[in-house]
Amino acid sequence: MTKARIVVATRLPVAVVERIGRDFDAIIPDHDLDGETALQDVIARQAEGLLVSGKTKLTAEVIGQAPDHLKIVATCSVGFDHIDVAAARRRGLVVTNTPDVLTDCTADMAFLLILAASRRAAEYEQTMRKGWRQAFGMGEFLGLSVSGKTLGILGMGRIGQAVARRARGFGMTILYSNRHRLPADLEQGAEYCADFDAMLPRCDILSVHAPASAETDGIINARTLALLPRGAVFVNTARGKLVDEEALIAALQNGQLFAAGLDVFRDEPQFDLRFATLPNVFLCPHMGSATVETRNAMGFRALDNIAAVCAGKPPIDPLWR
Ligand code: 8YV
């Protein structure tokens, strides 16, 4: 049987590359391709499938050049804000993502950030690496407790719900803001707040899990940050675009926020270096799904989608049906 010809636009884990070698006709890149280059390769190689990650932007202009032999764009991510989905749909392309397989991993990262920001992990680490020699007094260098606090979750999809499950283990009260209220079996005791603004004053910690969209762009801004109680903690494992970073930096500087934990930024990897100068921020370079197990599973899931479509079968994770 001939192998499906695909273009791989992103660097992948070894196990995923091995499977591509076995099951597909593809060239493995040693760097991430931009959208334009990826599309040119699709045309040159007469590929049926294109595998990307969040780092390859597929604009309407790029997608408009898609040849008829291209059937599927599979992104190795749950988020798809890097793809002009409306243009892909108009072009008749199948677009798939990789939900489920990264839910727990990303929720673990959100909890890592909640704990690290609240408990001043970055500053403690710095202190040790500088060769701690001076004992701290009982009232010095204190963080904030996480157990028993109220956690607000913006976006109660799969990842938001997985964060809530973890928070229950910490005896936290869970509030959530979402486009729709969840059924009781998924709520598991979390309180639905129809009004995001009304939820904010009740949150000791706010963790965002909504996709980047016109609706959520800058939803965390000077006004909404001011609605949090003074000294709250903010955590973002979703997308930088949800945040007005000027306002976030100001809130971290003036004490409106006690601390923040950030895995994502408006401009990646060129993140605003002022964050790196703030002691009360715990920073990660967009690593929410970055475990061996999860990145392998994401790659395999993207390949499963491509294999299905190239074999004339329905995709597993289509963005629309
Ligand atoms: C990936 C992500 O790190 O799934 C997503 O939406 O942002 C991440 O899991 C990303 O796709 C790698 O570029």
Side-chain angles (χ1 to χ4, degrees), residues 238-252:
R239 284 291 183 266
K241 287 199 173 68
L242 270 61
V243 178
D244 172 343
E245 294 185 336
E246 285 296 330
L248 178 57
I249 289 168
L252 285 160

Side-chain angles (χ1 to χ4, degrees), residues 53-55 76-80 98 102 238-239 286 289 295 298:
S53 74
K55 294 189 277 295
C76 257
S77 60
V78 67
F80 45 85
T98 57
L102 48 63
R239 284 291 183 266
H286 200 147
S289 64
R295 286 285 170 82
M298 289 165 72

Side-chain angles (χ1 to χ4, degrees), residues 35-49:
E36 181 70 35
T37 311
L39 234 291
Q40 290 314 314
D41 283 4
V42 164
I43 294 167
R45 303 206 70 239
Q46 302 218 314
E48 293 174 83

Side-chain angles (χ1 to χ4, degrees), residues 174-182 187 190-194:
I174 301 150
L175 312 176
Y176 75 97
S177 167
N178 199 40
R179 267 179 301 179
H180 312 287
R181 184 172 179 171
L182 300 183
E187 257 182 0
E191 183 187 331
Y192 177 56
C193 301

Side-chain angles (χ1 to χ4, degrees), residues 33-256:
L33 308 184
D34 61 41
E36 181 70 35
T37 311
L39 234 291
Q40 290 314 314
D41 283 4
V42 164
I43 294 167
R45 303 206 70 239
Q46 302 218 314
E48 293 174 83
L50 171 60
L51 192 156
V52 300
S53 74
K55 294 189 277 295
T56 302
K57 305 252 171 297
L58 296 175
T59 60
E61 203 190 339
V62 167
I63 288 168
Q65 302 167 42
D68 288 343
H69 50 79
L70 181 65
K71 296 179 183 154
I72 173 170
V73 174
T75 183
C76 257
S77 60
V78 67
F80 45 85
D81 45 301
H82 53 294
I83 301 173
D84 191 318
V85 171
R89 207 170 172 171
R90 276 198 304 275
R91 195 74 194 80
L93 288 169
V94 172
V95 180
T96 60
N97 65 344
T98 57
D100 304 320
V101 290
L102 48 63
T103 300
D104 283 325
C105 198
T106 309
D108 288 350
M109 177 60 101
F111 240 86
L112 185 153
L113 296 184
I114 289 172
L115 289 166
S118 303
R119 299 297 303 271
R120 305 178 70 158
E123 292 166 279
Y124 294 170
E125 246 267 331
Q126 278 280 327
T127 300
M128 298 310 288
R129 288 183 190 276
K130 283 185 191 149
W132 174 50
R133 288 292 178 272
Q134 188 91 36
F136 291 107
M138 290 283 287
E140 278 178 335
F141 215 13
L142 306 184
L144 295 175
S145 292
V146 169
S147 297
K149 290 292 177 65
T150 296
L151 171 67
I153 297 176
L154 171 65
M156 197 63 152
R158 298 175 183 88
I159 298 171
Q161 289 169 43
V163 171
R165 280 197 292 280
R166 285 154 179 75
R168 264 175 231 117
F170 282 75
M172 299 176 92
T173 300
I174 301 150
L175 312 176
Y176 75 97
S177 167
N178 199 40
R179 267 179 301 179
H180 312 287
R181 184 172 179 171
L182 300 183
D185 59 323
L186 294 183
E187 257 182 0
Q188 297 272 324
E191 183 187 331
Y192 177 56
C193 301
D195 181 353
F196 179 53
D197 283 4
M199 178 179 89
L200 292 174
R202 299 172 60 198
C203 301
D204 298 311
I205 300 165
L206 176 67
S207 188
V208 291
H209 300 284
S213 68
E215 199 188 331
T216 60
D217 197 324
I219 193 167
I220 305 302
N221 53 44
R223 191 187 67 77
T224 49
L225 286 166
L227 289 172
L228 289 166
R230 191 164 175 81
V233 169
F234 172 69
V235 160
N236 189 1
T237 49
R239 284 291 183 266
K241 287 199 173 68
L242 270 61
V243 178
D244 172 343
E245 294 185 336
E246 285 296 330
L248 178 57
I249 289 168
L252 285 160
Q253 283 170 335
N254 67 27
Q256 171 58 13

